[in-house]
């Protein structure tokens, strides 16, 4: 039985939901899994020695990752690299299937360029548009970006582009990394 750690950075909560779904799939297959936000890891230090694999996920907003993602990686780069590992990127541009291919997703490529940690495995997961729950300025700016990219612009739109079956398959994949 493997013990897996799923770490994440979430701004609006959707990446946290995805992380929980990954963990539920890992648990459903009989392995152990802990889920933790990178912010919580500051108050509850990670005992890396008890894990067989790690997945780290982060969302993209305005084409960037929050600086705390890179700070976490800088601090824990060696621990991340010392076990089977994967990075998952959550972004709305991945609503288009061709943008779920790592070489075609500029946000994943940006991460790989900027990150001191080079993950062994990567995954792109389509995110969620939730204009009503976002601050007005985020809603306005993202609607402008969506207008330029032929995405949804209705300010009342709530559209979950996440393929939850694919998220479950990713959970299975992470568990398989721990058993290599």
């Amino acid at each position: 039985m493997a013990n897996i750690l799923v770490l994440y950075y979430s701004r609006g909560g959707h990446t946290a939901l995805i992380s929980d779904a990954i963990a539920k799939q890992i648990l459903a297959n009989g392995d152990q899994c802990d889920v933790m936000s990178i912010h919580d890891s500051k108050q509850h230090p990670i005992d890396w020695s008890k894990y067989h694999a790690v997945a780290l996920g982060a969302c993209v907003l305005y084409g960037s990752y929050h600086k705390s993602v890179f700070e976490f990686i800088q601090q824990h780069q060696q621990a991340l690299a010392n076990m089977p590992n994967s990075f998952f990127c959550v972004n709305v541009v991945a609503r288009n299937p061709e943008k779920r291919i790592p070489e075609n997703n500029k946000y994943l490529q940006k991460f790989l360029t900027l990150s001191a940690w080079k993950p062994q495995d990567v995954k792109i997961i389509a995110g969620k548009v939730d204009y009503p729950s976002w601050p007005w300025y985020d809603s306005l700016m993202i609607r402008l970006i969506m207008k330029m990219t032929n995405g949804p612009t209705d300010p009342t739109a709530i559209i979950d582009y996440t393929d939850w079956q694919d998220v479950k398959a990713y959970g299975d994949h992470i568990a398989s990394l721990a058993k290599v």
Side-chain angles (χ1 to χ4, degrees):
M1 175 171 45
N3 193 10
I4 299 161
L5 177 60
V6 177
L7 292 159
Y8 67 89
Y9 170 82
S10 187
R11 182 157 185 241
H14 196 67
T15 304
L17 289 175
I18 290 168
S19 298
D20 286 341
I22 293 166
K24 283 179 186 169
Q25 185 64 26
I26 292 168
L27 292 167
N29 289 326
D31 290 309
Q32 296 296 312
C33 187
D34 293 327
V35 181
M36 180 185 293
S37 78
I38 61 173
H39 293 294
D40 289 345
S41 73
K42 292 176 184 175
Q43 296 167 346
H44 306 284
I46 299 167
D47 178 1
W48 295 97
S49 67
K50 73 181 205 177
Y51 297 107
H52 302 105
V54 60
L56 171 62
C59 59
V60 174
L61 184 66
Y62 300 124
S64 297
Y65 299 89
H66 193 268
K67 67 180 183 175
S68 64
V69 174
F70 294 109
E71 290 168 357
F72 178 87
I73 288 168
Q74 191 67 35
Q75 182 180 0
H76 299 285
Q77 178 183 354
Q78 194 61 48
L80 289 165
N82 282 345
M83 68 181 76
N85 62 71
S86 183
F87 174 74
F88 62 99
C89 168
V90 178
N91 61 72
V92 177
V93 86
R95 69 186 184 277
N96 299 315
E98 70 275 5
K99 298 297 183 182
R100 290 182 214 138
I101 300 167
E103 296 77 23
N104 295 344
N105 190 290
K106 66 182 175 181
Y107 303 121
L108 176 63
Q109 294 304 315
K110 183 176 187 177
F111 175 84
L112 294 173
T113 300
L114 296 175
S115 175
W117 167 56
K118 302 304 177 202
Q120 297 168 340
D121 184 80
V122 294
K123 176 72 174 169
I124 301 164
I125 299 172
K128 179 179 180 180
V129 170
D130 189 354
Y131 292 125
S133 75
W134 294 341
W136 70 269
Y137 51 88
D138 283 344
S139 180
L140 177 65
M141 294 306 294
I142 293 171
R143 283 177 34 229
L144 289 171
I145 293 166
M146 287 291 190
K147 185 175 179 93
M148 292 185 291
T149 61
N150 298 316
T153 59
D154 176 355
T156 64
I158 301 172
I159 306 167
D160 185 352
Y161 292 104
T162 306
D163 178 343
W164 292 99
Q165 286 305 115
D166 190 48
V167 171
K168 285 183 174 184
Y170 181 61
D172 293 338
H173 174 70
I174 297 304
S176 74
L177 291 178
K179 297 168 183 163
V180 172

